[in-house]
Amino acid sequence: MINTLFKSATILAIFILFILLVNIINDAFGYVAIENSIEPTIFIESGNLDDLNSDDIIEILEERLSKGLVRRYNSESPLKERSQKELMELLFNRVIEPRVKQSWSLKESIFNKKEILELTTKKYPNAYIDFRAWLNLEFITKPQSSIPEFAGIRTAILGSLMIICITIFFAFPVGVASAIYLEEYAGNNRFTRFVQVNIYNLSGVPSIIFGLLGLAVFVRGMEPFTSGSMFGYGDPATANGRTILAAGLTLAILILPIIIINTQEALRAVPQTLRQAGYGIGGTKWQIIWSHVLPASIERIMTGTILAVSRAIGETAPIVVIGASTFISVDPSNIFSKFTTLPIQIYQWTSRPQAEFRNVAAAAIIVLLLMLLSMNTFAILIRNRIGKNRS
Amino acid sequence: MTKSKREWYVGKPKYHEKIIQTILAVSAVLSVLITFGIVYILGKESLLFFKEVSIVEFFTSTKWQPLINEFGVLPLINSTLTTSFIAMLVAGPLGLFVAIYLSEYASEKARSILKPILEVLAGIPTVVYGYFALTFMTPLLRLIFGKDTVDIYNTASAGLVMGILILPLVASITEDALKAVPSSLREAAFGLGGNKLHTSMTIVVPAAFSGISAAFILGLSRAIGETMIVALAAGAGSNFTFNPFEAAETLTGYIVRISGGDVSYNTMDYNSIFALGLLLFFITLSLNVLSRKLVRKYQEEYD
């Protein structure tokens, strides 16, 4: 009786994981009721905009949009020189202006299709129903937007990737160096024990505290450095330290203890005989570490580092604390740029009241989870390779 | 770390190797500097805060309304403990059951499938759990208890989901503790005619008690420091309430909300998040230290 209880607890845990994933997929796809502010049939009888040619579109744009806006578009790049596709996008986003009135989950879309259609014809007589995959190629390649149906995550993905590069660049060498020192060089004295205890304690500090440290040290204390004004980047008057560099450094100190602990375990797993063989042929300590111990443990070190980095990618709280900008639709150009990241985008979209933003957040979550899943798979592959080398 | 003096067979280091060794040592010391940095920064900004607010008021007043200069931390601590307590109600028993199953009952094959799945649960970013709390757990609670009793933002939903988040952590440390119990103890119990359940519950679990409590304490510490779930699901605005169905802001929830809005330096808002950070740091640090002490105890017992 009771042992089935133990078993069902385990099954429950797995069931929750299943529900979590289903819940996210459920929100990322489904019917939407869309209402156009101007019907395409006004411009062309068939309602099929593809039948319009470039000149027609320009005519419509000049007629429908304000003079100032047309002038702005012309100064960005003359309308006449734009491709049909670009013009069509302008026409679509600016003139037709489709807006999602209501969205439904995948489950509702499958089982209550009839009710959805009835409700739409009653509540939004001008709207049409469309099945929408919120997660699509455009979503991944478009920048952020304040309108959910045009929102994308390219800026956030780039931000996340750039931050992670900085994080690895700082945390990996320092972490591995610390671990080598502690495992290979340090004697068993009070100071070493103190450092070791300190690292363990650091690994248990809540991530938001690292955010506070980053805010005070990197954003505020080292502002000339992290804002790039020291190197002549950015406008010194408006520059502040809330940049990719500051975020990357904050995450670097966050995952440093994890990398050190993992690397120490990797080094400890290298058999002592390997070191002794090296000494036997007259090698110095560093020669043996560099040419024997590190190559023998590099795969374990990599596995540990990948897991630490995948944790950094998912971290939200410390980056919110150091002040990732709330709305960024421009791709980060260098490490002194303002930025947004994937988890921050998810956080912001989730905390908005409109239901459509939930759909967008769900789509972004799928991208984030896929990113982490592929990293973890990579780590497991490396781990399995170690197993094979051994036998 | 365990090797003491230089072994006689090690070749004499070349000059540049001394430099390398120094660089390595400096890296190792960096982590100590980070800790000092945390304490220094949190302490410095908190001092500015406590110049304006008396410590007595901070710890006794039941109102946290920075706008009208009311800085009593109790409502924030209260909701932090509420969410953490609910989380432990989920993660404690469930984690223990999962650990007993994995360590005592599951076949090698079942373990090799189940453990990685639990690890996946632990690797999901907390912001995703926050989304889950808001879009799944809250509607579920409102369905069960009625929309009038359960607010859209409530500590119960945040706590329940947080429990799911720390479940793998509790399960994995508990399992380690159970595994560390020598099999001779189990065999002795079997020899006296005990069945598997009896042995697990009266011999193995009590023998691993210090490890199990270490797991619970570490889980509690993780719950207290957790941010994104409470930021999304528990609600904004402090509220001194013991009702888990009401919205209430936690320590971490307040920090992340205030700093999310481009807080300007040297204001009370700015200083207050560091004071709360210092409090949070001390709470989690003491729990972590306690947990490590307990882990070491069970490791020593059976070595």
Side-chain angles (χ1 to χ4, degrees):
Chain A
M1 239 322 254
I2 296 183
N3 38 17
T4 46
L5 179 74
F6 299 147
K7 196 169 184 176
S8 22
T10 315
I11 292 169
L12 178 68
I14 288 158
F15 181 64
I16 291 165
L17 178 69
F18 176 72
I19 299 244
L20 191 138
L21 296 177
V22 167
N23 177 49
I24 289 162
I25 292 172
N26 189 30
D27 282 347
F29 303 90
Y31 281 118
V32 285
I34 299 176
E35 217 172 80
N36 294 333
S37 66
I38 291 172
E39 286 304 321
T41 39
I42 295 180
F43 310 122
I44 186 158
E45 243 166 75
S46 66
N48 187 359
L49 291 170
D50 293 332
D51 295 343
L52 293 170
N53 61 38
S54 300
D55 294 332
D56 295 338
I57 299 177
I58 292 173
E59 202 175 301
I60 297 170
L61 284 175
E62 281 171 347
E63 185 186 327
R64 293 276 167 176
L65 296 177
S66 71
K67 289 241 160 58
L69 201 58
V70 172
R71 210 175 305 134
R72 214 185 80 206
Y73 283 131
N74 268 321
S75 69
E76 271 171 19
S77 123
L79 288 177
K80 291 213 158 47
E81 287 167 25
R82 296 194 185 202
S83 72
Q84 168 117 11
K85 203 176 145 230
E86 282 172 324
L87 287 170
M88 190 66 90
E89 213 179 280
L90 267 185
L91 177 73
F92 201 66
N93 293 355
R94 286 290 169 172
V95 181
I96 306 221
E97 281 189 327
R99 290 288 178 269
V100 171
K101 286 285 162 188
Q102 193 169 350
S103 65
W104 288 272
S105 69
L106 185 60
K107 193 186 109 202
E108 289 167 324
S109 305
I110 293 172
F111 294 110
N112 304 348
K113 193 178 171 188
K114 232 175 105 189
E115 283 93 324
I116 292 174
L117 286 173
E118 274 168 21
L119 191 98
T120 311
T121 41
K122 218 192 284 167
K123 242 169 114 184
Y124 317 104
N126 299 325
Y128 59 95
I129 286 277
D130 196 13
F131 187 84
R132 179 163 174 132
W134 291 88
L135 174 67
N136 52 41
L137 199 64
E138 257 181 58
F139 177 70
I140 295 167
T141 51
K142 268 192 173 167
Q144 152 78 308
S145 159
S146 55
I147 306 156
E149 52 269 46
F150 296 126
I153 49 170
R154 187 185 67 206
T155 325
I157 292 178
L158 286 174
S160 277
L161 290 179
M162 286 174 79
I163 286 171
I164 282 311
C165 288
I166 302 264
T167 303
I168 297 172
F169 184 78
F170 284 96
F172 183 68
V174 176
V176 173
S178 310
I180 294 176
Y181 181 78
L182 289 172
E183 275 307 303
E184 308 286 331
Y185 285 96
N188 186 13
N189 53 34
R190 283 182 79 164
F191 179 72
T192 317
R193 279 197 296 273
F194 172 67
V195 173
Q196 192 71 59
V197 167
N198 182 65
I199 288 169
Y200 279 118
N201 287 337
L202 213 49
S203 71
V205 172
S207 61
I208 194 166
I209 305 271
F210 286 98
L212 288 172
L213 181 70
L215 174 65
V217 175
F218 300 130
V219 174
R220 196 181 171 197
M222 294 164 60
E223 192 168 324
F225 173 69
T226 45
S227 68
S229 58
M230 211 167 98
F231 311 102
Y233 277 95
D235 181 8
T238 57
N240 66 27
R242 303 175 196 274
T243 57
I244 286 185
L245 181 60
L249 290 173
T250 305
L251 288 185
I253 56 170
L254 170 70
I255 62 167
L256 186 62
I258 313 173
I259 294 187
I260 297 177
I261 292 171
N262 284 336
T263 308
Q264 276 185 293
E265 269 162 25
L267 294 176
R268 226 171 284 152
V270 176
Q272 208 60 34
T273 47
L274 193 75
R275 294 186 183 85
Q276 280 153 1
Y279 294 136
I281 55 167
T284 64
K285 194 152 196 164
W286 176 247
Q287 283 171 336
I288 287 154
I289 292 170
W290 185 251
S291 58
H292 288 78
V293 178
L294 280 182
S297 57
I298 191 70
E299 284 167 338
R300 271 170 195 269
I301 295 176
M302 291 305 290
T303 314
T305 307
I306 292 171
L307 293 178
V309 167
S310 70
R311 181 169 162 205
I313 289 183
E315 277 296 347
T316 324
I319 307 202
V320 174
V321 171
I322 69 155
S325 305
T326 18
F327 187 85
I328 289 274
S329 58
V330 194
D331 291 345
S333 52
N334 57 44
I335 57 170
F336 305 116
S337 304
K338 294 188 185 322
F339 66 95
T340 183
T341 69
L342 212 41
I344 286 194
Q345 249 352 197
I346 294 166
Y347 170 51
Q348 282 165 355
W349 281 332
T350 308
S351 47
R352 297 219 189 181
Q354 301 98 311
E356 296 86 70
F357 279 107
R358 299 262 167 90
N359 302 124
V360 192
I365 287 176
I366 295 179
V367 175
L368 179 65
L369 289 182
L370 284 178
M371 237 161 108
L372 295 178
L373 189 70
S374 50
M375 282 187 74
N376 286 351
T377 318
F378 188 54
I380 290 168
L381 284 180
I382 296 179
R383 199 194 300 175
N384 289 349
R385 233 181 89 190
I386 308 172
K388 265 177 208 149
N389 282 357
R390 279 267 167 83
S391 51
Chain B
M1 204 182 93
T2 46
K3 292 171 293 293
S4 55
K5 50 184 183 292
R6 158 157 275 126
E7 294 91 339
W8 58 268
Y9 48 82
V10 175
K12 199 166 173 259
K14 292 176 188 158
Y15 181 64
H16 75 264
E17 295 196 5
K18 292 238 161 106
I19 301 176
I20 292 174
Q21 192 180 336
T22 318
I23 294 174
L24 296 176
V26 168
S27 304
V29 171
L30 193 72
S31 69
V32 178
L33 290 181
I34 292 173
T35 311
F36 285 149
I38 290 178
V39 176
Y40 172 74
I41 297 280
L42 294 178
K44 193 183 99 184
E45 304 289 343
S46 303
L47 273 183
L48 293 173
F49 176 80
F50 286 117
K51 256 184 203 159
E52 309 282 325
V53 181
S54 81
I55 294 207
V56 179
E57 192 210 325
F58 186 66
F59 281 113
T60 54
S61 163
T62 54
K63 272 199 177 127
W64 180 272
Q65 274 153 342
L67 273 179
I68 51 167
N69 273 322
E70 298 249 34
F71 292 99
V73 78
L74 284 182
L76 299 183
I77 292 188
N78 177 59
S79 47
T80 302
L81 291 182
T82 310
T83 48
S84 308
F85 180 71
I86 297 171
M88 287 316 291
L89 279 186
V90 176
L94 267 184
L96 182 62
F97 291 162
V98 171
I100 294 177
Y101 176 71
L102 287 180
S103 135
E104 307 294 317
Y105 288 90
S107 67
E108 202 44 51
K109 198 176 168 203
R111 263 174 51 85
S112 68
I113 299 169
L114 294 174
K115 266 205 107 168
I117 297 180
L118 284 176
E119 278 171 19
V120 169
L121 263 181
I124 293 173
T126 53
V127 70
V128 178
Y129 279 105
Y131 178 89
F132 184 62
L134 198 61
T135 62
F136 181 80
M137 198 54 87
T138 302
L140 186 70
L141 287 179
R142 298 188 95 188
L143 194 73
I144 297 172
F145 296 102
K147 289 199 171 177
D148 301 324
T149 27
V150 185
D151 291 353
I152 292 189
Y153 297 105
N154 61 76
T155 45
S157 150
L160 288 172
V161 173
M162 210 193 284
I164 301 168
L165 166 77
I166 55 177
L167 166 69
L169 178 88
V170 174
S172 131
I173 302 176
T174 306
E175 198 209 341
D176 284 347
L178 295 176
K179 275 252 149 87
V181 175
S183 45
S184 56
L185 242 61
R186 290 187 189 86
E187 282 148 15
F190 291 143
L192 288 171
N195 61 19
K196 196 147 195 174
L197 177 68
H198 203 71
T199 309
S200 308
M201 294 313 280
T202 58
I203 306 293
V204 183
V205 170
F209 182 74
S210 65
I212 295 171
S213 34
F216 280 38
I217 292 169
L218 195 64
L220 182 66
S221 159
R222 190 63 63 85
I224 289 174
E226 215 304 301
T227 311
M228 293 325 289
I229 299 175
V230 290
L232 280 169
S238 74
N239 182 6
F240 193 72
T241 173
F242 292 97
N243 181 355
F245 293 141
E246 275 182 38
E249 194 162 45
T250 65
L251 287 170
T252 51
Y254 175 78
I255 297 177
V256 89
R257 177 167 65 89
I258 291 302
S259 51
D262 252 11
V263 61
S264 30
Y265 307 138
N266 299 330
T267 57
M268 268 318 255
D269 275 350
Y270 182 81
N271 295 336
S272 72
I273 59 175
F274 284 89
L276 296 180
L278 186 68
L279 182 65
L280 188 65
F281 179 74
F282 275 127
I283 296 174
T284 52
L285 183 70
S286 35
L287 289 176
N288 290 347
V289 169
L290 183 64
S291 161
R292 277 194 62 72
K293 278 221 168 98
L294 286 166
V295 166
R296 220 168 305 144
K297 205 174 146 202
Y298 82 74
Q299 279 172 344
E300 268 165 21
E301 258 168 48
Y302 301 117
D303 264 354

